[in-house]
Amino acid sequence: MAEGKWISGLKPGTPIADAARVVLTERFAVVRQYLPLAANNPYEDVEYVHQLRVGTRRTGAALRAFSDALPRKSLKATKTALRTIRQAAGDARDWDVFLASLPGAKPFGTATAKPALDFLLGYAFGQRTAAQARLTATETETGPEFLTLSENLPTRTREPDGTDAPTNFGELAVQQLGALFAELTASAEANPTAPHDLHALRITAKRLRYAIEIFAGCFPPYLKETIYPCVERVQELLGEVQDAHVGIARLVDIRAIVGDVAPKQLTRVKKGLDALATSLRGKIPAGTKVFASWRKEWLGLMAALKLEVVASVVTA
């Protein structure tokens, strides 16, 4: 199966239309590969849904990077179809992660918490089943359209026009990564603490990560070997913080549902739900402390580098 991560074989001097054709062909292939697997055989391997979700994100990054080299109408239709698939895959993946986190969770290690574990497993499985029905429907309803669009769009790439438009793949790499480096650095300098601000920084890091995977061949190895792991790390650690915030909100909603639908059962599961919520809340300060360490590292890297890695595009 396709790994669908690094783009290789492109040179800085490659025409943008040619580079777009190569990148989009590879990115689209991953989504087409995993969509039927995730829709029809999701429990054979949970990685099918995970790889579909990641594949749609990488494809979205490629569409953003080469938007000026693509016909607007086809680009819009492709982005709409891709977003529909990504949302369906994301919903299913979120419940896969939630289900996987429950059995070994420390808050459920006591007898008084076991009713909550049993309840959450049943509730989450029901939600996962509903999400799978939506994913299967998406494959049936949107899959054929996406197949056609993804086969046609790479054949319609063109050179960007305009006096300020980059003239080759290397110049596009400098333009794209320069903007994303600046955005992530500015976000880090702002020292965010609120959940939505941390989540916004994580999204920027994710976009930079996926862009590096496209353009790494235009730069010295330092970009791939040092900068990329640092970007990847903040995405992962803030993902854990975000998961904790989302998990707490989810438990609040579940508790409200139980209270409305089966109030007598709430006393059976309340201790376990509260224990899990407490555990999740404890992950947030730990995650933000690690983020503070990462922030210092990142700003140090940028101060030393002064974005020279972005400006030193190889011209060969």
Side-chain angles (χ1 to χ4, degrees):
M1 292 186 176
E3 185 213 27
K5 187 174 184 179
W6 298 103
I7 300 294
S8 59
L10 296 176
K11 303 295 183 182
T14 302
I16 291 175
D18 293 345
R21 189 176 306 114
V22 170
V23 174
L24 291 175
T25 297
E26 290 196 24
R27 292 301 192 235
F28 283 142
V30 173
V31 179
R32 291 198 301 266
Q33 173 182 316
Y34 282 104
L35 178 56
L37 291 172
N40 302 313
N41 305 96
Y43 306 116
E44 180 179 278
D45 190 340
V46 294
E47 279 297 299
Y48 293 159
V49 173
H50 178 50
Q51 291 302 324
L52 174 61
R53 185 188 203 180
V54 174
T56 59
R57 287 173 171 169
R58 287 193 168 112
T59 303
L63 291 174
R64 285 191 297 273
F66 295 103
S67 60
D68 290 339
L70 301 169
R72 292 189 179 278
K73 186 175 180 180
S74 297
L75 173 61
K76 182 179 180 180
T78 304
K79 289 171 70 174
T80 298
L82 187 70
R83 182 170 59 251
T84 300
I85 295 169
R86 184 181 68 248
Q87 289 172 345
D91 191 15
R93 175 61 180 172
D94 286 345
W95 285 110
D96 278 342
V97 172
F98 186 73
L99 275 165
S101 71
L102 292 175
K106 290 184 179 180
F108 297 133
T110 64
T112 56
K114 190 175 184 305
L117 172 61
D118 294 340
F119 169 77
L120 286 175
L121 285 170
Y123 180 87
F125 182 74
Q127 293 295 322
R128 177 61 179 87
T129 302
Q132 185 59 38
R134 291 189 290 272
L135 179 54
T136 301
T138 296
E139 195 268 342
T140 300
E141 297 166 5
T142 307
E145 178 189 10
F146 176 77
L147 175 63
T148 300
L149 290 167
S150 65
E151 288 177 343
N152 291 339
L153 193 60
T155 69
R156 302 184 62 194
T157 60
R158 62 197 183 194
E159 292 300 311
D161 53 17
T163 56
D164 297 328
T167 61
N168 56 39
F169 184 57
E171 289 186 9
L172 180 65
V174 171
Q175 180 190 80
Q176 293 283 319
L177 292 190
L180 288 168
F181 265 102
E183 185 177 352
L184 181 59
T185 301
S187 296
E189 287 174 340
N191 196 18
T193 56
H196 67 276
D197 292 330
L198 290 170
H199 185 53
L201 186 148
R202 179 174 180 253
I203 290 174
T204 300
K206 190 182 303 183
R207 289 180 175 177
L208 176 57
R209 174 189 175 187
Y210 294 150
I212 291 174
E213 291 169 356
I214 295 172
F215 296 113
C218 292
F219 300 93
Y222 184 77
L223 178 66
K224 184 175 180 178
E225 296 172 1
T226 302
I227 300 295
Y228 180 87
C230 190
V231 175
E232 188 177 35
R233 190 161 62 254
V234 74
Q235 180 189 339
E236 292 173 353
L237 74 89
L238 288 183
E240 294 177 0
V241 174
Q242 178 67 9
D243 287 346
H245 281 290
V246 171
I248 292 168
R250 178 175 287 164
L251 289 174
V252 170
D253 291 341
I254 291 173
R255 183 169 173 170
I257 292 171
V258 176
D260 290 341
V261 177
K264 292 183 179 180
Q265 298 300 319
L266 183 58
T267 55
R268 296 183 63 250
V269 300
K270 181 179 179 298
K271 287 186 178 181
L273 296 180
D274 290 348
L276 181 57
T278 299
S279 176
L280 291 174
R281 277 192 288 270
K283 292 182 178 181
I284 295 173
T288 54
K289 183 177 180 179
V290 176
F291 169 72
S293 176
W294 174 89
R295 176 179 176 272
K296 182 178 180 180
E297 176 188 1
W298 177 259
L299 294 179
L301 279 174
M302 293 300 100
L305 198 60
K306 295 180 180 178
L307 298 186
E308 289 177 8
V309 68
V310 176
S312 63
V313 60
V314 179
T315 57

